[in-house]
Amino acid sequence: MNSETNVLVVEFLDYLKIEKGLSENTVKSYRVDLYEFFKIISKSYEKIEKEDIYTYIDNMRNKFKNNTVQRKVSAVKTFFKYLYMNKKIKKDPLNTIKLMKKETRLPEIIDEEEFNKIIETFNHNPKDVRDKLILKLLMASGARISEIVNLDVSNIKDNDYRYIKVLGKGSKYRFIPIYDKIADEIKEYIEKEREEIKSSKKDYKLFPGASRTTFYLKLREKAKNAGINKNVHPHTIRHSVASLLLKNGLDIRYVQELLGHSSITTTEHYTHVEKSKLKSIYDNVGLGDDVE
C-alpha cells in the first residue's frame, strides 16, 4: 500500500469511529480487511478496477467461509463508496458489486437521565462550557458532530439564536430549531467563553478549537466519569434523538428533515420499538376488541 492510499485508509477509519460511531473492534476489522485487500491486489486506490474485487473474492474463498468473505468485501466496498462521496475518485469501481443484505446493527442509545448525568460532569472552564454546549446542541437537534463543530458564528440566522444553519451531507444546507434555553446559552457563550478560547479576531468558528476527534474523546471521558457503561459517542446522541422523537409520535418526515437524511429509508432505521412497548400501544388502541 502506497503512502497516499494509507492516508486515505486512516481518514476512513477515523470517519467510521467518530462520525459513524463504530466500536474499536469493528474499526479494527475494517483496518485488517483493507490492508489485506491492498496487499493482495498490489495497486493504489485510484487504479482499482471491478475485476480486482473478483480476484480478491476468489483469493478469500480459498481461506474463509462465505459470511466472512461477504464481510471483507463489504468493508472494501464501503471504503470506495467513502472515497467517491468525498470526491477522492471520479467513479466508484465497486458500485455494481452486489452483496447479500445484512441486518442493520443500530448503536446503543442513552436516555434523558443518562444524558443529564453526562452534562453534570462538565466543569465551568471555557473549554468545558464549549463542549457542554456542543453536547446540548447535539441532543437538541440530532445533528451530526461534523455539522456542529464546523459551524461559524454567521450560521446563526439573522442573530436569532433559535435557528442555526448547518451544512450537511451533499453540501446541502438546512435550518435546525433550537430550544429557547439553549439559544440563550449560545448567546452568553459567544459573548464570554468563546472570546477567551478563540485564537484570533479572524477566528469565525462558533466553537474554536473543537473537532470531531477532540469532542469524541471528551464525550467518552465524561460518559465514563458519569458511570455510564455504554459505548457513548456522537452518533449515539444522534441515534438517541431520532429514537426519542419517533417514540413520542413526531412524524417520520419531520425527523428526516431534522436529521438531514436524503432518503426516508435511512430514517426508518430508527423506528425500532421494543416488542413490549408495541404490544402496550396496540392494547391501548384496542382495534377490533369490541367486535363480536
Side-chain angles (χ1 to χ4, degrees):
M1 182 187 299
N2 63 26
S3 58
E4 188 176 358
T5 302
N6 186 65
V7 168
L8 291 174
V9 169
V10 172
E11 288 180 2
F12 171 67
L13 296 175
D14 284 341
Y15 161 79
L16 293 179
K17 182 178 179 180
I18 298 170
E19 191 75 20
K20 302 299 291 183
L22 300 188
S23 69
E24 293 280 355
N25 287 337
T26 302
V27 173
K28 182 179 179 181
S29 294
Y30 271 93
R31 182 186 299 111
V32 170
D33 294 340
L34 289 173
Y35 276 85
E36 185 177 49
F37 171 76
F38 284 105
K39 181 179 180 180
I40 291 171
I41 301 304
S42 298
K43 288 184 179 180
S44 59
Y45 73 95
E46 74 275 11
K47 294 182 179 179
I48 296 297
E49 300 173 330
K50 184 177 180 179
E51 289 71 21
D52 294 321
I53 197 68
Y54 291 122
T55 300
Y56 176 67
I57 291 173
D58 288 340
N59 187 292
M60 291 296 100
R61 279 177 174 167
N62 294 327
K63 303 176 183 178
F64 303 102
K65 293 181 179 180
N66 187 57
N67 285 345
T68 302
V69 175
Q70 289 285 342
R71 191 209 74 216
K72 289 178 175 292
V73 173
S74 177
V76 178
K77 276 179 60 68
T78 304
F79 173 65
F80 277 92
K81 182 179 179 181
Y82 168 83
L83 294 182
Y84 176 71
M85 295 297 292
N86 286 275
K87 299 181 180 180
K88 304 294 184 181
I89 53 177
K90 294 182 179 180
K91 183 179 179 181
D92 182 355
L94 310 185
N95 183 48
T96 58
I97 301 292
K98 301 297 182 182
L99 295 174
M100 293 185 298
K101 289 186 177 180
K102 295 183 178 180
E103 181 181 356
T104 302
R105 296 184 63 184
L106 296 172
E108 291 182 291
I109 64 172
I110 61 172
D111 56 31
E112 291 181 76
E113 182 180 352
E114 291 171 320
F115 173 72
N116 288 329
K117 284 182 178 179
I118 296 175
I119 287 293
E120 290 171 1
T121 65
F122 285 85
N123 299 314
H124 299 291
N125 65 72
K127 289 186 178 180
D128 255 28
V129 172
R130 176 198 66 193
D131 293 340
K132 180 168 71 172
L133 190 52
I134 291 174
L135 178 56
K136 285 187 175 183
L137 276 175
L138 290 174
M139 197 66 184
S141 67
R144 301 175 180 91
I145 181 59
S146 57
E147 295 172 342
I148 297 299
V149 297
N150 289 327
L151 286 172
D152 289 338
V153 175
S154 61
N155 289 122
I156 297 172
K157 179 176 171 58
D158 302 326
N159 290 322
D160 185 347
Y161 295 87
R162 296 172 300 169
Y163 296 93
I164 293 181
K165 183 180 181 181
V166 299
L167 179 62
K169 286 186 175 180
S171 298
K172 295 179 180 178
Y173 282 101
R174 72 183 188 281
F175 284 102
I176 55 176
I178 302 299
Y179 298 117
D180 289 349
K181 183 179 179 181
I182 297 179
D184 291 339
E185 290 183 30
I186 293 174
K187 183 178 180 181
E188 182 179 345
Y189 157 79
I190 289 176
E191 294 172 351
K192 186 180 178 182
E193 284 84 8
R194 182 180 175 276
E195 288 297 313
E196 299 179 41
I197 297 172
K198 68 179 185 179
S199 57
S200 69
K201 291 183 178 180
K202 293 185 178 181
D203 190 341
Y204 301 114
K205 290 294 183 184
L206 180 58
F207 300 110
S211 69
R212 293 186 305 175
T213 302
T214 59
F215 181 77
Y216 164 72
L217 295 174
K218 175 67 73 69
L219 179 59
R220 187 174 66 175
E221 173 195 341
K222 295 298 185 182
K224 183 178 180 180
N225 292 342
I228 297 174
N229 297 317
K230 293 180 179 179
N231 181 25
V232 180
H233 42 73
H235 200 66
T236 306
I237 308 301
R238 182 170 165 83
H239 178 65
S240 300
V241 172
S243 299
L244 186 62
L245 291 174
L246 291 167
K247 187 176 181 180
N248 282 278
L250 187 64
D251 187 278
I252 191 171
R253 295 194 180 276
Y254 289 111
V255 178
Q256 177 191 3
E257 176 67 22
L258 183 66
L259 299 182
H261 287 155
S262 58
S263 170
I264 199 168
T265 303
T266 306
T267 316
E268 287 173 344
H269 291 163
Y270 296 100
T271 58
H272 64 294
V273 181
E274 299 88 348
K275 289 183 179 179
S276 58
K277 178 68 177 177
L278 184 61
K279 180 65 166 61
S280 175
I281 294 172
Y282 182 80
D283 288 342
N284 288 335
V285 173
L287 290 174
D289 63 358
D290 58 348
V291 177
E292 296 183 358

